[in-house]
Amino acid sequence: MLRKKIHAQIQPSCVSLSFFPHPSVICSFRGAVPQGLVLELGETVQILEKCEGKCFSLLQGIFPANYIHLKKAIVSNRGQYETVVPLEDSVVTEVTATLQEWAVLWKQLYVVRHKVDLFYKLRHVMNELIDLRRQLLSGHLTQDQVREVKRHLTVRLDWGNEHLGLDLVPRKDFEVVDSDQISVSDLYKMVRNLWEIPLMLFCCRCNNENEWCQIHENIIRKSSTKYTAPSSNYGKCLRVCFSGEKSSVSPVVNVAMCLLSFSAGDIRNDLYLTLEKGDFERGGKSVQKNIEVTMYVLYADGEILKDCISLGSGEPSRSAYHSFVLYHNNSPRWGEIIKLPIPIDRFRGSHLRFEFRHCSTKDKGEKKLFGFAFTPLMRDDGTTLSDDIHELYVYKCDENSTFNNHALYLGLPCCKEDYNGCPNIPSSLIFQRSTKESFSVSTQLSSTKLTQNVDLLALLKWKAYPDRVMDILGRLRHVSGEEIVKFLQDILDTLFVVLDDNTEKYGLLVFQSLVFIINLLRDSKYFHFRPVMDTYIQKHFAGALAYKELIRCLKWYMDRSAELVRQDHIQEAMRALEYLFKFIVQSRILYSRATCGMEEEQFRSSIQELFQSIRFVLSLDSRSSETLIFTQAALLNSFPAIFDELLQMFTVQEVAEFVRGTLGSMPSTVHIGQSMDVVKLQSIARTVDSRLFSFSESRRILLPVVLHHIHLHLRQQKELLICSGILSSIFSIIKTSSLEGDVVEEVEMMVESLLDVLLQTLLTIMSKSQSQEAVRGQRCPQCTGEYVSCLLSLLRQMSDTHFQHLLDNFQSKDELKEFLLKIFCVFRNLMKMSVFPRDWMVWNSYFSLAVLFINQPSLQLENATPAKRKKILDKYGDMRVMMAYELFSMWQNLGEHKIHFIPGMIGPFLGVTLVPQPEVRNIMIPIFHDMMDWEQRKNGNFKQVEAELIDKLDSLVSEGKGDENYRELFSLTQLFGPYPSLLEKIEQETWRETGISFVTSVTRLMERLLDYRYLTAAGGTKFMCTESNFYKSEINKEEMYIRYIHKLCDMHLQAENYTGYWEFGIPLCRELAMQYENLYDYQSLSWIRKMEATYYDNIMEQQRLEPEFFRVGFYGRKFPFFLRNKEYVCRGHDYERLEAFQQRMLSEFPQAIAMQHPNHPDDSILQCDAQYLQIYAVTPIPDNIDVLQMDRVPDRIKSFYRVNNIRKFRYDRPFHKGPKDKDNEFKSLWIERTTLTLTHSLPGISRWFEVERRELVEVSPLENAIQVVENKNQELRTLISQYQHKQMHGNINLLSMCLNGVIDAAVNGGIARYQEAFFDKDYITKHPGDAEKITQLKELMQEQVLLFLGLAVHEKFVHPEMRPLHKKLIDQFQMMRSSLYHVSCSVTNVSVLSSPQASPSTSSLSSTHSAPSQMINSAPSSARGKNGWTQMGVNGNCRHPFTLSALSSYWVKFHLH
C-alpha cells in the first residue's frame, strides 16, 4: 500500500524487519482545517503524535483519529526508504493497491479517453473485486473456497491490468512472485505464459428434435456450424442444453458419459445402453405416431429388477425408463444413454424388454401398446452382450397382451444373429414378428468381473489348460485394450504366477506380455490407467523373485541390439523401461524384506551390468542403421523415468554416477543426426527436471556432462530452443538452491562453460533474425528472449569472486577486449556501431550500452502509474541516475582520448539528456562542454560539435522526444549536484563569446522545434509564424530551412488554408507575363493574361465577406511556451462572430478558463499553473486610406483594403471619468483606446500573429463624438455614392436602415445629446481649448445635410410598399433640421463672444453659392415646403446653416471627394 510520508531524517535502526501498527485511511479527509492533512481512502500514514482525537503525521499535518484504522504490518528496511507490508493475505493487499491505482484510470476512461464501454465493464469488475475481497477477509471460507475466491480475484486483476495497459503480474499459486526469489528464466516463462489463451466453455442450443441424437457428434466433428465453438482453443468440457417446444417432450435430457476410470481393487459392473433409433409402421393411421419407449430389466424368473436404471448424475435410480417422445415421427432418433448398474449375481439370466406405445395428442393420458423388443444380457457361451449396435426384432402386441409368462417370448429370436441359431420357429406363437419394423440399441460394458473375450477368460483360467499356456500367453496381444485394463490386476497376478511356476519356460513370454501391457498404458486412450498400475505395484504386487528374470530379459534384449535387423521387441522393451524398473525395484524390496537383505551384492552387480548394457546400446554408431536409431531413441526417452526408482535402492551419488556414465556414453559430436540430437537433448532436459538433479550432491556430478553437451550444441548453433529450455531449468534450480545453500562451485562451472558461448549464440541469433530463410537449428529468433533471460540469470547469479575469476582467466588484453565487445554488442541489441578505430570499439560499445540502458522504456518512471513508480523507487531507486553517474565517470576517465569520440557520441549523449529526469540531464551537460573544449583546442573552433548537435536535436525532437523543460536545458544557471552549468563553464573560457552565441542559438532552436511539434500534435496551423528564417539566417542551416518551409506548406494544405486574395495574385501574373513576353512564349503569356483577367473578374463579381478580428490572450504557465503569457490577433472564419470564436477556442483548450473582463491580468494569473483565455473583438486600422476615400472606387475593391494588409488593430473600452451625469452620460464618457501592432500583417501565412506592441490612449468625450459622427457621415456618403452610381441594385434596405438610424438618432438621441453636452455655454467657457474641436463637430453635424441627397436617392428607388417609411423619414428630417438650426445659432454666438479675434471666415457656412439645378430638382418635393427652398433662408437673427449656397458648396465638396 502507498505510504503517505516524508521523513525529515533517516531513522537508524539495527533491525531490518519489525512489527508495527499500520494506520490505514478508512475515510477520505479533505484537510479543510488549518494544518489539515489531505487523506485518500486506503492510504497509509505514520503517526507522530496523538492528541485530543487528532493525529499528527510526518507530513506535518493533522487529521481526525477516527479516520484511520490500525492493523499489524511488517516494516523492512527501516528509515527513509522503508517498506510497509500489512500482515494480511498478499492477494488482499494486491487487490487494495490495484483498486487505488485503477480508480484514477477508471475516471479517465470516461472523461479523457471516451471509452464508455470499458468504463462500465471496469466498474463492474471493480465491484466484483470489492465483494470477493470482503469474502476473503471474512475468514469464514474453507481452503477450497479460498482458492476459488483467489482464482476469481487474480483473473479479474489480470483482465483489468491488460485492458488498462498496465503491467501483467506473474504469479505463483495466485500470489505475486518476488523477482528476487526466482531466476530471470522462470520470471520470463511466467510473463510469457500470461499470454496463453485459456480453455473455453461454450453452450449450444438445439431447437430441432431430429438433430438431438447427433448433437455430440456434430460438436466434436464440427459437422455443423451451429455448434461451432467461439475459437479453436476450446476445452473438452461441454455443456449441452436441449429445449423442446412440444408439451409431450422432456425439456432437459441429462447426458451420462461412459468412462472406464477406476482404481485397482474397485469392483464395477455397469452396462451403458444407448437408445439409437427405431423404424415403425404407420399402422393404418393418417399421421405418423408419437412413440414412447419403456424399458425394464428383468431377472431369469421374470421379476423386474428394482432401481437398476440410472439416467445420469444426480438423478434417482428407477425400475423403468420412459423415453422422450418425438412428435409424429415413425423413425425416431433418440441417442439417449442409460446406465444399468446390475448386480453381478443377477447379470446371468437377466434380459431387457422394450415396450413401444403410441401417445395420443388428443387424450394425453392415453398410451396404446403396439409392440415390444427384448435382448438377453449374457449369451449361452458365458460372454456378455458385446459392445456394439444391436438391431432387435420388433414383435406385435396390444394392451391385452400379457408378459407374465416371459418364457413365451424368451424362446423367440431377439435379433438376426439369434435367429440364425434357431431356424425352426413355429408360426403359431402368440407374438408375431413385424418384419418391417426394427429397433436399435448400442451397449458398452464397464465391468471388472465380466468379460466379452474368450482368450482373456482362458488366461485367467490358465490352470485349466496347462498344455495351452504358451499359446494363451501369445494370444494376449489380440485381446482388446478395454478388456485388458478392466481386468488389469487379475491379468498381472496371473502373469507373475505363471512366471513363478516355470521361469525358464515362460519367462520370456511373460516378459513380452508385461511389456505389451505397459506399452498399452502409454496409449492416450488408456493413459489414465497408469495410477491403477502404480497402485497395483505398491499394494498388490507380490512377485518377490520376479526382479531377477526381469533384469535378465532386459539385459538380453539390450545385448542383442547390435545384432538384430528387426528390433521391434527391443524397442518395445526400451519404451517400457520405467515400469519394468518399478517392478524390478518393488520385487527386490519384497525379496529384501522377506530375506532380510540377502543377495544385495548380486542385485547391485546385476544393476551395474544392466547399465553397462545401456551404455553399450547408446555408444553404438547409429548413423548407418535407422533401426538402431529408433532403439536408442526409445531408450533415451525412457531413461530419465527410472531415476526415482533407483533412488529407492541406491544413494544420490551412486545414482548420479550411473546417470553421468550413461550420458557420457552418448557420442559427443552433434553430427549423429538431427533427430537423434533432439532425442538426446530431450533426455538431458528430463534429467535436469528430475528429482535427482535437485540434490546438490548429484548436481555437482551431473552438471559437467550436461554443460558439455549444451556447449557443443550452442557452438554449432543446433537445437537452440531445446538448449534454452534446459538452461532455463538449470538456472531456476540453482537460484532456488542458492536460497538454501552454497552454489558457488556450480556457478563457476557454468561461467566457465557457458558465458562466452551464450554471448556468441545471442549475437548469432540477432544477426540472423532478419533473414527470411528459417532452417531448424540455424535460425531461432523466437528463442531470443529465452537466451537473454538465461544470460541475465547467469550474470545475476555471479558474485564478485566469479567476476574476478573470469577476468583473471583472460590470457591477454585482446581476449578481454573481445569478450567485452561481445557483451556490449549483445546488450545493444542489433544497434549498428559507429565507425571507430578498433581500439575504441569497446569504449563506444560501453557508451552505447549505457545510453540504451538509460533510455529503455521500462525505466521511464514518468510513464508509470504512481503506485508502480513508488514501488520501483523504494526497491531500486532511479537506476537511470546511477547509470548516468557511471557514464560521466567513464567519460572523465578517457582524459585526452575524448577527442576520438567527437562528434560521434554527441547523438547518443544528447538522447540521454532527453530523458525527463533533471538529475540525469544535469550530469550530462558538462560532457558537452568537454566536447566543445576539446574540439576548440584541436581545430580552433567547435563547428563539428555545433553542426552535429543541431542535426541531432532536430532529429530527436522531431521523433517526439523532449519536453517543455528541455528548452531551457543548455541555458540553466543552477544545476543539481556538484556540476556547474554549461554557461558558467563557457564564461570562464577564452572562447566564451562564440560559446554563449552557440548556446543561445541552440536554445532558440529547441524552442522552435518544440513549438513546431506542438503544432503538428495539435493538428492545426493556427499559431504558425514566419520564423523559419531562423534556420537560414542564424544557424546557417539552409537545408533545415527548406525542409521546414515544405513542412509548413504541407500543414497549410492539410488544414485547407486556401486564400481568395486575387489582389496578391495579380502582381505575380504581371511578373510572369513580363518573363513570358521577353522569352516570346506567347502561349504561356496568353494563359497568364487570361488568369490575370480572371482575377479581375473575381474581384468585381464574387462576393467576399469581411471577417471579424479577435484579440486572444493566453495567460498562465499551463500553456505551451510559445503561447504562454502572450497575446495574438486572429482573423476569424467566415460568418464567425465573437461567441462562436470563443467557443472554438475553449474547445481547443478545454482546460482553459475564459476571462470575463478586458483588463490586463496581474502576476497572480500570469504565474499560476492554469490556463486563462482573454478574448474580445478588435477593429482593423487600414494602412491604405487613399483607396478608401475615393468616391468612384467600387465597394468590393474597398472592402479588400479595409480588412487586408492590416497590421494595427483597435479596441475601445468606454469608461466614465469624474462624476457621471445621469441626464446625459456623454458628458463624462471617455474611451480607453488600445492599439495593437502585430509582428506581421494579417492575413499572412497564418490567421494568427503575435502582438508586437500595444499603445494605450484616452479619447475625450468630445473627440469620441467627433469620431462617431464622422464615421456615420462616411458610411452614409458611401452608400449614397454606391446607389447613385448603380453599384448596388434592387434592394435599398441598407440605405433605409442607415437613413433611419441617422435621422432617428438626431431627433431622439445621439446628435441631440452631443448638442446638449458640448454646445452648452458652460462647457465652451470651461474648455476654451476645445473651440476648434467644437467647430469640427458642428461642421460634421452640418454635413449631415447630405441626408437630403440620401432621401432623394431613397425616393427614387424605394418600393411602393415602403412609401410610409419614406414619409416618416421626411417628417423626422424636418424635426432634425429645426434642432440643428437652433443649436447652430447658439454655437455661432458663443463662438464669437469667446473668440473676439477669430476671423469672420472661420466657418465655411458663411459662404454663399448657388445650388446646382439638378440638386434642387432631385430634392424631394415634400422637403421644399410651400416656397420651395426658401424655407432654408435666414430666420431670426442668424443665418440658417442650410442655405442654398451652403448646400451647393457641400455638393461640390461631396463630388470632389
Side-chain angles (χ1 to χ4, degrees), residues 384-420:
T384 61
L385 197 63
S386 61
D387 294 344
D388 201 353
I389 295 179
H390 310 280
E391 185 175 339
L392 306 180
Y393 288 162
V394 176
Y395 291 91
K396 297 179 180 180
C397 63
D398 53 29
E399 289 295 333
N400 297 324
S401 301
T402 177
F403 295 109
N404 292 334
N405 187 1
H406 60 279
L408 294 177
Y409 62 83
L410 284 180
L412 298 174
C414 64
C415 58
K416 183 176 181 181
E417 293 78 8
D418 199 14
Y419 179 79
N420 295 333

Side-chain angles (χ1 to χ4, degrees), residues 278 390 799 1083:
H390 310 280
S799 63
Q1083 184 175 1

Side-chain angles (χ1 to χ4, degrees), residues 89 260 291 300 310 428 509 542 571 575 628 667 791 821 900 910 979 985 1022 1185 1225 1268 1287 1413:
D89 195 297
L260 296 175
I291 300 173
S310 174
S428 60
L509 286 174
Q571 293 166 10
R575 297 187 186 99
L628 184 57
L791 178 61
L821 187 59
H900 296 287
L910 198 60
Y979 306 107
K985 299 198 73 171
K1022 43 186 171 292
I1185 303 296
E1225 64 178 10
V1268 171
Q1287 295 177 9
S1413 58

Side-chain angles (χ1 to χ4, degrees), residues 105-107 109-110 114-128 159 164:
L105 302 176
W106 174 60
K107 297 176 183 177
L109 290 176
Y110 194 93
H114 306 297
K115 295 184 177 181
V116 180
D117 184 52
L118 182 57
F119 170 82
Y120 287 111
K121 288 182 180 178
L122 189 64
R123 182 180 67 175
H124 177 72
V125 171
M126 291 171 72
N127 288 330
E128 289 182 330
W159 180 91
L164 290 174

Side-chain angles (χ1 to χ4, degrees), residues 370 375 440 502 711 763 797 809 844 881 1000 1033 1046 1054 1093 1137 1199 1209 1325 1346 1360 1444 1451:
F370 66 87
T375 180
S440 297
N502 193 333
H711 183 92
L763 287 175
Q797 206 62 44
N809 285 340
N844 174 62
V881 176
T1000 304
S1033 60
H1046 284 284
Q1054 185 177 1
R1137 295 297 177 256
S1199 66
F1209 295 85
T1325 303
L1346 60 87
L1444 292 178
W1451 178 257

Side-chain angles (χ1 to χ4, degrees), residues 696 699-700 734-744 797:
S696 59
R699 195 164 56 246
R700 293 191 183 98
I734 290 180
K735 177 63 179 179
T736 304
S737 301
S738 67
L739 302 176
E740 303 171 355
D742 187 14
V743 292
V744 175
Q797 206 62 44

